[in-house]
Amino acid sequence: MTNYLYQLKINFKRIILRNKAFFLFDMLLPIVFYLLYTKILPSGVSQQQLQTWNKDYLISMMIYGCLLGSIITTANTLLNDQTSNFKVFISLKPISKFQYYSSLIAIFVTLNLIASITISITGILINEITLPISSIIKIILTNTIGTIPLILIGIMISFAKRPELVNLLTNLIVFPLAIISGLWWPIEMMPKWLQAFGKLLPTYQLSTIDKTFLNHTDLNWFAFINILIWFGIFSLLLLLINKLQGHFGVTK
Amino acid sequence: MAVVLQVNHLNKSYRDKSILKDISFQLEDSSVIALIGVNGAGKTTLINTILELIPKDSGKVNFSINNWRQITGVMMQDNLILNRIKVREIINLTRSYFATPLPYNTLLNLSGLNESANTFINQLSSGQKRRLSFVLALAGNPEILFLDEPTVGMDTIARQDFWKSIAKLKQSGKTIFVTSHYLEELENIADQILILEDKTLTFNGSLKQLRETSGKVLIEFDSQLSIKTFNELASIISLEQINHHFQIITNDVKKTISELSPFLQGIENLKIDQSSLNSIILNYQEKK
């Protein structure tokens, strides 16, 4: 256990504490978007509408921050482990793949937790959002746990091994996912057929659950089950890709 | 001596191109085994296949215990270039993977990186990275060490220190499997030589056996005499002249010396080199 905790500590330092990209992209970018869309762009709306928009958009940007962390940071961290020979190094040590990945997933969840807390504090302080502390805690925890399926996507992308391909895949997934599931603009602005598709995505369902905490309504079970199904699908895909990877070995 | 690794009829190909063909050998404890071969011969592929980094096509690799990662230490050809981790941290992280690791201070002292303990790995020089890779291979106090081109990038003093460490490890009962381009470094320490050539092991034995198989001896000297004088010697295989320096290859050293004896007054700096691993390998490959 002590050894596992030490591994977590080193992973925390290298992936979060000493990683400028994490602060710039996973935290600063959603904050900048949030300020832009709540302080500068809105005009001609009532104070009440603005308050609602500020709360909704805060949730969107918290999920967006977690999306960036889960896919881009996860894929790039694992790619870096590959190109710096760390993956080969680890595979020669008497630890299981599960131990390696579980310690990383724990750090990526922590990373999403930190991003969510920071973005929510920004919203509370700058836009004077008033929410019961219990609701904020529920939203933050839902976002950090609910984005685990997205971390699995990040892990799968890292198996592409080539930096240019990893970059292409992360961009092809992250930004369409953010737009189609209504994280940047309200989903109602999209064509109907695209809305229907967007509403199936885990990021949309996550914001649906968050809004139940925001509006003090009952838990949306459909959204909850949807995220569980995504988790199941991505877990199976990950196991399949991992099995195929075994046929090719771990060297570059 | 106990067998710690047995490799039987190992085959590996890549996209229908054979890379390793029917490789068989065994490693015994407390010995140093040198794997020699030209670039591209398949040395790294052989190590990678034994260590399951790449899958084998057929054959068997059996370590003395099932959980072989617990008793092996590996220094790969490519250094660890992980950024955002310090030397001190990577040593302790590596120790954390093993049940009975060597103490941190022992490893740090052995690496000679005491003053760089708080330096990030990617900021080390290539020689320092090599030394770090070596102590990381030792961190778990392994019984078998795999060292792939360990001294590349090290300066002369670091290389000398490195081979002294290897000699000590051998004395302490470790088995060391090493590949190196610097053949002169291996000849003083290797108990067993494996020559990998044309995808297969063409030699597996001691240096003494290799000498006997090779059979040829290099005789070098300086002389003002004409090359014609030595061309007439019956026992020589080849003769080369570079200014006043002569190189003779023979397979009957006694007869050649006896034929040279009438000219000994005109010969200086006579050297009979039958021990250079480099020349033995060259002769061995020529003979084949």
Side-chain angles (χ1 to χ4, degrees), chain B residues 26-38:
Chain B
Q26 63 179 37
L27 306 187
E28 290 170 342
D29 63 357
S30 311
S31 58
V32 175
I33 300 93
L35 176 65
I36 293 161
V38 294

Side-chain angles (χ1 to χ4, degrees), chain B residues 1-196:
Chain B
M1 274 186 161
V3 174
V4 291
L5 171 67
Q6 181 90 45
V7 176
N8 282 324
H9 307 293
L10 187 70
N11 288 288
K12 173 70 193 166
S13 58
Y14 183 69
R15 289 182 180 160
D16 296 331
K17 191 185 164 197
S18 179
I19 300 170
L20 299 173
K21 213 186 279 177
D22 199 31
I23 306 284
S24 295
F25 65 92
Q26 63 179 37
L27 306 187
E28 290 170 342
D29 63 357
S30 311
S31 58
V32 175
I33 300 93
L35 176 65
I36 293 161
V38 294
N39 277 342
K43 302 188 294 291
T44 300
T45 305
L46 178 58
I47 291 182
N48 285 349
T49 313
I50 291 170
L51 299 172
E52 296 177 11
L53 292 173
I54 48 175
K56 59 185 184 290
D57 295 343
S58 61
K60 281 188 177 172
V61 176
N62 291 319
F63 283 89
S64 55
I65 64 166
N66 280 339
N67 188 9
W68 56 266
R69 288 177 177 85
Q70 197 62 252
I71 58 157
T72 52
V74 184
M75 183 179 177
M76 297 303 287
Q77 201 170 354
D78 294 324
N79 288 323
L80 193 62
I81 45 170
L82 202 61
N83 53 4
R84 303 198 292 263
I85 289 193
K86 294 175 180 176
V87 169
R88 168 175 53 82
E89 292 166 343
I90 193 69
I91 292 176
N92 280 323
L93 184 66
T94 312
R95 292 178 66 248
S96 78
Y97 300 133
F98 293 92
T100 51
L102 288 176
Y104 168 75
N105 284 331
T106 306
L107 293 167
L108 189 67
N109 290 335
L110 198 59
S111 72
L113 295 172
N114 302 54
E115 286 176 14
S116 306
N118 284 313
T119 303
F120 288 105
I121 299 172
N122 59 332
Q123 291 170 351
L124 296 174
S125 70
S126 59
Q128 286 176 319
K129 281 180 191 147
R130 227 53 208 125
R131 275 148 51 200
L132 178 63
S133 292
F134 178 53
V135 297
L136 296 181
L138 287 174
N141 197 13
E143 288 173 27
I144 312 170
L145 265 175
F146 287 89
L147 311 170
D148 194 2
E149 299 289 351
T151 54
V152 170
M154 285 186 191
D155 60 37
T156 314
I157 294 168
R159 275 160 62 177
Q160 283 171 355
D161 289 345
F162 174 82
W163 289 111
K164 278 180 197 165
S165 302
I166 294 295
K168 278 183 195 166
L169 289 166
K170 181 186 165 185
Q171 278 174 359
S172 69
K174 311 278 184 205
T175 303
I176 298 143
F177 186 83
V178 58
T179 74
S180 177
H181 276 110
Y182 303 110
L183 299 179
E184 70 278 8
E185 292 179 342
L186 296 173
E187 62 185 288
N188 296 324
I189 198 154
D191 301 296
Q192 185 184 347
I193 308 271
L194 303 176
I195 299 179
L196 188 59

